[in-house]
């Protein structure tokens, strides 16, 4: 595991938790300069996605390591944490388990998928090969890149970074991360005193995800954006600036 602290060291603490098959450098790279101006950032890379030879074990083991870091280095409390996609599962677990305290739990347009073991295995058999397909021949890579650019309105540079990120990690780590995320469940109507849950809702994902946010968390603060899943991180200033403004507003809300 890697924990790297940077930014405005006198500002509020904000932990950044990347999504599936990503390190923080790729996942949050386009917004780190803006966030660093205001916040004391704690950037996390999980086992298997930190440049080491370690294999990602499972979501709960990694959650425990994040809790240990917050307890040891920040006296058990941080001002905020934002999870990108799968990273939101860690945010949810940190809040629900109550072993550390987060004032502002920010969920970056997650799907919050949960399933049983059989369904999780079947889904993994279908999805993991797609997640590890970016190491193919040049023609295959170019087709994948064009799909990313079209779906997320990425420019060529960000699409290439995204593909390189997915292709550099051990397939076993990718499988373990995807599979155990499906098995890591949240309780319904989670409510923790002095913690506020905030959701970045990408409405092009569909309303079923909005219903999930309201199912798992009590009275969440939800901001709707006309974008695809996590498009604010790869689609340029058009998408990033409104979300960054919302994050600032989340972090200033009374709890």
């Amino acid at each position: 595991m890697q924990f790297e602290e940077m930014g405005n060291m006198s500002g509020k603490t904000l932990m950044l938790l990347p999504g599936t098959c990503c390190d923080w450098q790729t996942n949050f790279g386009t917004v780190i300069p803006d966030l660093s101006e205001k916040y004391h950032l704690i950037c996390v890379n999980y086992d298997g996605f930190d440049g080491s030879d370690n294999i990602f074990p499972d979501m709960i083991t990694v959650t425990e390591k994040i809790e240990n870091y917050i307890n040891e280095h920040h006296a058990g409390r941080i001002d905020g944490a934002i999870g990108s996609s799968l990273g939101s599962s860690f945010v949810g677990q940190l809040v629900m388990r109550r072993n550390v305290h987060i004032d502002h739990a920010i969920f970056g347009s997650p799907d919050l998928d949960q399933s049983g073991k059989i369904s999780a295995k079947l889904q993994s058999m279908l999805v993991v090969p797609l997640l590890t397909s970016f190491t193919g021949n040049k023609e295959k890579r170019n087709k994948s890149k064009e799909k990313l650019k079209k779906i997320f309105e990425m420019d060529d540079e960000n699409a290439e970074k995204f593909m390189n990120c997915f292709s550099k990690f051990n397939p076993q780590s990718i499988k373990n991360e995807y599979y155990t995320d499906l098995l890591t469940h949240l309780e319904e109507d989670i409510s923790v005193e002095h913690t506020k849950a905030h959701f970045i809702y990408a409405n092009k994902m569909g309303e079923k995800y909005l219903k999930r946010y309201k199912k798992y968390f009590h009275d969440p603060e939800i901001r709707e954006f006309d974008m695809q899943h996590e498009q604010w991180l790869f689609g340029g200033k058009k998408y990033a600036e409104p979300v960054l403004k919302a994050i600032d507003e989340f972090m200033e809300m009374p709890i």
Side-chain angles (χ1 to χ4, degrees):
M1 290 276 288
Q2 282 184 340
F3 298 87
E4 187 168 345
E5 305 201 20
M6 64 183 71
N8 181 352
M9 304 306 280
S10 63
K12 290 184 176 182
T13 48
L14 179 63
M15 179 171 277
L16 304 184
L17 295 158
T20 307
C21 308
C22 263
D23 51 28
W24 66 260
Q25 291 92 335
T26 303
N27 204 149
F28 294 103
T30 60
V31 296
I32 286 286
D34 291 292
L35 293 173
S36 293
E37 290 182 8
K38 181 171 286 189
Y39 301 109
H40 172 171
L41 300 179
I42 309 166
C43 303
V44 182
N45 280 335
Y46 319 125
D47 287 331
F49 303 92
D50 59 356
S52 72
D53 293 329
N54 294 328
I55 299 297
F56 184 94
D58 59 79
M59 294 291 289
I60 296 302
T61 299
V62 172
T63 299
E64 291 171 349
K65 292 186 177 184
I66 297 170
E67 290 171 342
N68 289 339
Y69 186 87
I70 294 172
N71 281 320
E72 292 173 9
H73 296 270
H74 293 276
R77 178 192 171 278
I78 55 177
D79 296 301
I82 179 166
S84 171
S85 189
L86 172 139
S88 291
S89 293
F90 288 116
V91 175
Q93 289 296 316
L94 293 171
V95 173
M96 183 183 75
R97 287 160 57 91
R98 296 172 172 82
N99 293 324
V100 296
H101 184 82
I102 302 172
D103 289 349
H104 298 281
I106 305 173
F107 297 78
S109 59
D111 53 42
L112 298 183
D113 280 338
Q114 300 178 173
S115 68
K117 288 186 177 180
I118 294 176
S119 176
K121 285 184 179 180
L122 291 173
Q123 289 186 59
S124 296
M125 289 172 64
L126 291 172
V127 175
V128 171
L130 296 176
L131 296 177
T132 58
S133 66
F134 296 112
T135 56
N137 58 43
K138 185 176 181 180
E139 182 180 356
K140 188 175 182 179
R141 279 181 61 88
N142 286 337
K143 286 182 178 179
S144 297
K145 184 195 291 188
E146 291 306 312
K147 285 182 181 179
L148 287 173
K149 290 167 65 175
K150 182 177 181 180
I151 293 171
F152 294 103
E153 297 183 24
M154 290 183 183
D155 59 25
D156 193 77
E157 181 181 1
N158 277 316
E160 191 67 31
K161 287 180 181 178
F162 189 77
M163 291 175 63
N164 288 339
C165 186
F166 270 56
S167 64
K168 70 183 179 181
F169 299 119
N170 189 307
Q172 188 62 49
S173 284
I174 294 172
K175 179 181 178 180
N176 290 355
E177 186 181 50
Y178 183 85
Y179 173 69
T180 63
D181 181 44
L182 292 172
L183 299 179
T184 306
H185 293 191
L186 290 170
E187 299 168 359
E188 294 186 13
D189 201 36
I190 297 169
S191 179
V192 175
E193 188 175 9
H194 303 305
T195 293
K196 185 67 178 177
H198 311 272
F199 281 85
I200 297 165
Y201 169 47
N203 60 18
K204 290 183 179 179
M205 291 176 64
E207 289 191 7
K208 72 176 183 178
Y209 296 102
L210 180 61
K211 292 178 181 178
R212 288 182 189 178
Y213 305 161
K214 295 177 180 178
K215 174 183 178 181
Y216 293 122
F217 289 88
H218 181 78
D219 190 29
E221 165 75 11
I222 298 174
R223 297 288 180 92
E224 181 175 346
F225 298 90
D226 185 26
M227 65 181 183
Q228 299 281 2
H229 173 68
E230 295 295 55
Q231 194 168 12
W232 71 285
L233 293 169
F234 300 103
K237 290 185 177 181
K238 172 185 175 182
Y239 297 101
E241 288 180 348
V243 177
L244 288 167
K245 182 174 183 287
I247 291 171
D248 288 342
E249 291 171 356
F250 292 157
M251 293 290 287
E252 293 301 324
M253 284 185 178
I255 51 171

